[in-house]
Amino acid sequence: MTSSWLVPSQSKSLVDTPPRSRLFVRVHHHPLIPMLSTMRIFLVAASLALVSSALIPLEFTALEKSTTQKLVIFHDPNVAKSMEKLGVLEALDTAGTYGAEYEYTVCDVTAAANVEPIKGAGFKEFPQIFTQTVEGGIEPFGGDLTAESFAKFHEFRKLDVSSDKVQRMKGSDGKGEVEGAAGVLALAAERPVMVKMYEEWCGHCKKMKKHFQFVSNLPADTINNAVMLEVECSKVGGTFCSDMGTTGFPTVMFLFEGKAMKYTGGRTHAAMAEFLGDKSKWVMEALPPKIAAGKAEL
């Protein structure tokens, strides 16, 4: 069975997630440990329980059954960077800024029970950091994990972008501002256009939707006056999406001044905004033949 916890380039099984009331403390990192007896370690752990929910260690297979919202680190205690990011999770947990909204979970990749499942998931470098949320499911954490970057992640989750400036190709329901391939090309003759071809049933498309909407609301001068355009392929019908090179969803194309390129960057608002704001990233090529010839059927 394919795991949901995979390295970003690819895309859940033992016991259920321990309840929050159960305390797990990674006391072996505490500087006083060499001087403490087993009993004293127990007393330190008990005292910590009064002020903080501890990080939750889970075996890789247990993550498969867990549906709680969480920040997860696949952690190698032998790697300095991994220890650094473990410290960030500990700080977030101790601060309690987000209350009980997230669990802070550690999967030790060196533990015997985790070695083979981790290998099967394609992990080779550590740390690997993921989030699991109600609306986004399991996703790699974008960028470097810091208290500040996690605050931005949380802020974006809570942001209401129900009002946006995304334009839409007119479909069979009559909704949309842009009329067919000709309308797209006319728009792209004057302004850069990022075209997202999607279907409502597509999970990856649903995850991307809010990010796409967010970019549409950014100040025009930060994204080179670009237009964000959605095409729901089944509603548009015809061959437009296939002629644009769509083989899976979402497919994103970038058009400007009679040329095009397939956008293969990140699907987060930060990645798309960075691309649109930096013309040096625009490596344009000829339009797909049928689009250029105006032969796309609708």
Side-chain angles (χ1 to χ4, degrees), residues 70-136:
K70 60 176 69 67
L71 177 63
V72 181
I73 180 171
F74 291 92
H75 170 59
D76 187 338
N78 302 306
V79 177
K81 186 73 172 180
S82 194
M83 292 298 297
E84 176 189 336
K85 296 309 168 186
L86 182 69
V88 175
L89 263 74
E90 291 173 335
L92 287 168
D93 180 59
T94 300
T97 304
Y98 310 103
E101 185 157 0
Y102 307 101
E103 292 180 348
Y104 302 97
T105 304
V106 182
C107 181
D108 187 338
V109 302
T110 65
N114 293 330
V115 173
E116 287 304 316
I118 291 289
K119 182 178 179 181
F123 292 103
K124 294 180 180 179
E125 297 181 354
F126 303 98
Q128 295 282 344
I129 300 172
F130 286 76
T131 56
Q132 182 172 5
T133 60
V134 172
E135 73 283 358

Side-chain angles (χ1 to χ4, degrees), residues 137-164:
I138 298 168
E139 300 178 293
F141 184 80
D144 186 39
L145 177 66
T146 63
E148 293 76 17
S149 65
F150 190 75
K152 290 181 179 179
F153 163 84
H154 177 76
E155 181 182 1
F156 179 73
R157 283 193 61 222
K158 301 299 182 180
L159 187 66
D160 180 10
V161 289
S162 55
S163 176
D164 62 58

Side-chain angles (χ1 to χ4, degrees), residues 167 184 186-193 220 224-227 255-257:
Q167 295 197 35
V184 175
L187 193 59
E190 300 179 355
R191 301 170 63 183
V193 180
N224 281 299
N225 201 31
V227 176
L255 283 65
F256 188 42
E257 296 181 335

Side-chain angles (χ1 to χ4, degrees), residues 142-281:
D144 186 39
L145 177 66
T146 63
E148 293 76 17
S149 65
F150 190 75
K152 290 181 179 179
F153 163 84
H154 177 76
E155 181 182 1
F156 179 73
R157 283 193 61 222
K158 301 299 182 180
L159 187 66
D160 180 10
V161 289
S162 55
S163 176
D164 62 58
K165 297 177 182 178
V166 174
Q167 295 197 35
R168 293 161 178 89
M169 182 181 283
K170 186 172 290 187
S172 57
D173 57 2
K175 296 180 180 179
E177 304 83 5
V178 180
E179 292 274 5
V184 175
L185 293 179
L187 193 59
E190 300 179 355
R191 301 170 63 183
V193 180
M194 181 169 271
V195 186
K196 179 187 70 176
M197 287 159 283
Y198 77 102
E199 294 290 4
E200 280 294 337
W201 49 258
C202 166
H204 292 299
C205 302
K206 292 176 181 178
K207 291 180 181 180
M208 186 180 180
K209 183 178 179 65
K210 186 175 181 178
H211 294 272
F212 204 76
Q213 292 173 300
F214 181 88
V215 176
S216 77
N217 289 335
L218 290 174
D221 61 347
T222 66
I223 55 174
N224 281 299
N225 201 31
V227 176
M228 308 300 281
L229 174 66
E230 287 186 338
V231 180
E232 187 174 356
C233 295
S234 59
K235 283 191 177 180
V236 168
T239 64
F240 177 81
C241 289
S242 59
D243 290 344
M244 285 288 281
T246 301
T247 56
F249 302 101
T251 291
V252 182
M253 294 291 290
F254 180 67
L255 283 65
F256 188 42
E257 296 181 335
K259 294 186 177 182
M261 66 175 286
K262 186 172 184 177
Y263 174 75
T264 58
R267 296 171 180 171
T268 65
H269 62 88
M272 289 185 284
E274 180 181 1
F275 170 81
L276 293 171
D278 185 356
K279 290 184 178 181
S280 69
K281 298 181 184 294

Side-chain angles (χ1 to χ4, degrees), residues 38-56:
T38 301
M39 180 58 71
R40 293 176 68 191
I41 292 173
F42 174 81
L43 292 174
V44 170
S47 66
L48 288 174
L50 299 176
V51 297
S52 171
S53 302
L55 301 186
I56 299 178

